[in-house]
Amino acid sequence: MTALPIEGDGSIDWTVVSHVNGLARHLPSGVDSLLSFLGEYGVPLLSVLLLVLAWLGARRRPDAPVAVAGVLWAGIAAGVALVLNVPVRAMVQRPRPFVAHPGRLDLLTNHQANGSFASDHATFTMAVAVGVLLVNRKYGLLAMALAGFEGFLRVFMGVHYPTDVIGGFALGTAATLLLAPIAMAVLVPLTHSLARGSLAPIVLAQRRGRSGRGAVPAAAVTDHPDHPGTGSPTRGDLAA
């Protein structure tokens, strides 16, 4: 495949990278190091933390099997989106900003000179954010904010152009939303099955019974014969 042309000095992409990365020259080195750590590791880990918090909350909902299936898909979708980005990078073959403009950026981290489009970090954090947003608005909005911050940091660090980040956001969003119906058709029966077995705590939170002598599933009503909980969620169920 033919690589994209190198971004020239007059391009919007290069102008944004040079100005945003230039902020590093006016910040203390400790702040630069902290932001670089957040952009490389911290923000993706915080996204995973929000995914875990969304799972804990999903286990306590009346529609727990469906909600937990949604959280599972958010995590799986992030991995699927990263895999899909492999052929995208191979086809586009875009040089990273610090490769295309050697010596003109403050590179804040040691990074491979591999393909720049699309950003793996942007793809991952946005896929998680969109998936969590379908299940829990509060955590989903926080995850969206983290994804946006991650996109800024990747440009600030000098390792991506803005369009690399936008491309990653688009890929993560598309993978999560377009494949969700197929994924949920598989995951919802799986979580319902888990809820009826020894692995029920993965799907259903436990709460103390009225007698105080043991625990009952917080969402046990979904397994009642009159409320099997196997139907499609009503409007607002997933984003409660």
Side-chain angles (χ1 to χ4, degrees), residues 128-220:
V128 170
V130 172
V132 171
L133 186 62
L134 294 176
V135 180
N136 186 299
R137 285 194 185 91
K138 179 178 71 174
Y139 292 137
L141 290 175
L142 287 174
M144 293 286 285
L146 280 178
F149 184 46
E150 176 69 11
F152 168 81
L153 289 176
R154 300 306 287 177
V155 176
F156 174 79
M157 294 162 62
V159 297
H160 280 295
Y161 294 105
T163 48
D164 298 334
V165 172
I166 294 171
F169 286 166
L171 177 58
T173 299
T176 303
L177 294 181
L178 294 179
L179 298 177
I182 299 173
M184 292 297 286
V186 174
L187 292 174
V188 170
L190 172 63
T191 52
H192 274 290
S193 177
L194 292 175
R196 292 189 291 269
S198 59
L199 297 179
I202 295 176
V203 180
L204 305 174
Q206 301 294 307
R207 66 185 181 191
R208 302 297 297 181
R210 290 183 179 179
S211 65
R213 297 182 180 178
V216 295

Side-chain angles (χ1 to χ4, degrees), residues 41-96:
Y41 306 107
V43 174
L45 289 175
L46 287 173
S47 295
V48 173
L49 175 60
L50 286 176
L51 189 65
V52 173
L53 292 175
W55 166 66
L56 292 174
R59 292 167 65 240
R60 291 173 170 80
R61 288 171 46 165
D63 62 339
V66 178
V68 170
V71 175
L72 284 175
W73 171 236
I76 295 171
V80 170
L82 288 177
V83 171
L84 292 175
N85 196 29
V86 174
V88 171
R89 284 192 171 188
M91 289 187 293
V92 175
Q93 297 183 20
R94 187 184 204 184
R96 290 183 182 267

Side-chain angles (χ1 to χ4, degrees), residues 23-24 26-39 108 149 153 156-157:
L23 297 173
H26 306 290
L27 296 174
S29 59
V31 175
D32 285 343
S33 297
L34 174 61
L35 292 176
S36 177
F37 173 80
L38 289 174
L108 302 184
F149 184 46
L153 289 176
F156 174 79
M157 294 162 62

